[in-house]
Amino acid sequence: MKIIMLGAPGAGKGTQAEMICEKYNLPHVSTGDIFRANIKNGTDLGKEAKQYMDKGQLVPDELTVRILLDRVAKEDCKNGYVLDGFPRTIPQAEVLDQELTKLGDKVDFAINVDVPDENIINRMGGRRACVTCGATYHVQFAPPAKEGICDKCGSKLILRDDDKPETVKNRLDVYHKQTQPLIEYYSKKGVLKEVDGTVSMNEVFESIVSILK
Ligand code: ADP
Ligand code: ADP
Ligand code: ZN
């Protein structure tokens, strides 16, 4: 099963991707996580990506597509995967389709987690991310057992630089211009599924599970 998570930054794509992956035993492929791991390790890819991420802009398609295709070519992706944060532009979606077509394959579901901009601004300020494993929390809606500490690995939780309000606004603008057109793109392909992302995490997940059944 090949699933794409669509939605604005902070809509809950990562949260839902994690839950889907656990239930269906699929790998969670997040381009944002791959970039952040590279930044942390000081790689050239990380240095390049950081310049864009810090401004709330998209990393160029060429670079992003290359790292995504490398990732999904790995053995663990053979039986499917959940893409979280990719594609974010029409050209990225087109390359993915071309590559899947070559393999006689296709995207099964593009799930759009729908959350209005007003809710996003509130959500992002409360998001906390683990510096080591990338796990995501929310100070109000998904707090860790011990404040500031990751439940999964015990590392420190931080507010991501790009989750500060100035950058969130840019990211939303970029989302509307460059990413939102994907909703129509996947609708035309007949694989789009819409879920209301404003309800609780578990309720969003229930809607997704009923779609995947
Ligand atoms: P969020 O979870 O809030 O949607 P991500 O972790 O997915 O954010 O992405 C963080 C940043 O990484 C983006 O703002 C962008 O700069 C970069 N990025 C991630 N995925 C892509 C992509 N598919 N294309 C271009 N840039 C990307
Ligand atoms: P995305 O990957 O789309 O950027 P995340 O999954 O990281 O979004 O969620 C953004 C923030 O909102 C996180 O702090 C997360 O814990 C929280 N969150 C996710 N889903 C919900 C929900 N349904 N209700 C309230 N908060 C949520
Ligand atoms: Zn952790």
Side-chain angles (χ1 to χ4, degrees), residues 8-15 123 127 136-138 141-142 197 199-201:
K13 302 180 296 295
T15 301
R123 254 189 213 184
R127 171 156 68 180
T136 299
Y137 300 84
H138 192 282
F141 305 118
V199 293
S200 75
M201 295 172 198

Side-chain angles (χ1 to χ4, degrees), residues 5 57 99 110 128 140 154 165 198 202:
M5 304 304 295
Q57 295 169 357
E99 292 300 314
R128 295 293 179 273
Q140 185 184 354
T198 62
N202 287 334

Side-chain angles (χ1 to χ4, degrees), residues 1-199:
M1 191 154 58
K2 296 189 175 59
I3 301 171
I4 289 175
M5 304 304 295
L6 295 175
K13 302 180 296 295
T15 301
Q16 297 301 324
E18 205 54 56
M19 293 164 94
I20 297 168
C21 288
E22 191 165 319
K23 182 170 168 82
Y24 297 94
N25 197 22
L26 293 168
H28 176 185
V29 176
S30 156
T31 38
D33 284 351
I34 298 174
F35 288 140
R36 280 185 292 276
N38 275 275
I39 292 173
K40 197 167 163 240
N41 295 328
T43 68
D44 288 343
L45 167 66
K47 282 177 197 138
E48 169 93 28
K50 189 174 180 348
Q51 300 170 25
Y52 300 95
M53 291 169 75
D54 281 349
K55 291 185 220 142
Q57 295 169 357
L58 295 184
V59 177
D61 285 338
E62 205 209 32
L63 185 62
T64 306
V65 162
R66 190 149 45 85
I67 65 136
L68 187 276
L69 293 181
D70 276 358
R71 176 65 189 89
V72 297
K74 298 231 158 77
E75 183 65 20
D76 64 329
C77 288
K78 216 176 44 188
N79 296 321
Y81 41 77
V82 178
L83 297 187
D84 162 18
F86 185 99
R88 264 184 157 96
T89 65
I90 299 275
Q92 290 180 12
E94 287 171 346
V95 175
L96 178 65
D97 276 339
Q98 284 157 17
E99 292 300 314
L100 288 172
T101 304
K102 279 189 210 160
L103 302 168
D105 208 343
K106 62 170 182 45
V107 169
D108 297 296
F109 299 102
I111 301 173
N112 184 42
V113 183
D114 188 30
V115 177
D117 287 9
E118 307 84 82
N119 306 39
I120 298 284
I121 311 269
N122 294 332
R123 254 189 213 184
M124 299 295 251
R127 171 156 68 180
R128 295 293 179 273
C130 173
V131 287
T132 303
C133 75
T136 299
Y137 300 84
H138 192 282
V139 292
Q140 185 184 354
F141 305 118
K146 187 158 182 265
E147 197 186 314
I149 303 292
C150 179
D151 290 348
K152 299 195 176 116
C153 76
S155 296
K156 210 171 68 159
L157 301 181
I158 54 151
L159 173 68
R160 270 165 48 182
D161 277 341
D162 63 344
D163 279 352
K164 303 200 167 127
E166 320 81 78
T167 318
V168 170
K169 224 198 133 285
N170 278 342
R171 290 165 67 196
L172 279 171
D173 288 343
V174 166
Y175 167 75
H176 290 300
K177 286 202 193 85
Q178 294 182 264
T179 308
Q180 210 170 18
L182 290 174
I183 296 174
E184 197 189 332
Y185 178 93
Y186 286 110
S187 169
K188 282 191 179 146
K189 303 229 167 224
V191 294
L192 182 77
K193 304 285 172 189
E194 297 266 9
V195 298
D196 176 5
T198 62
V199 293

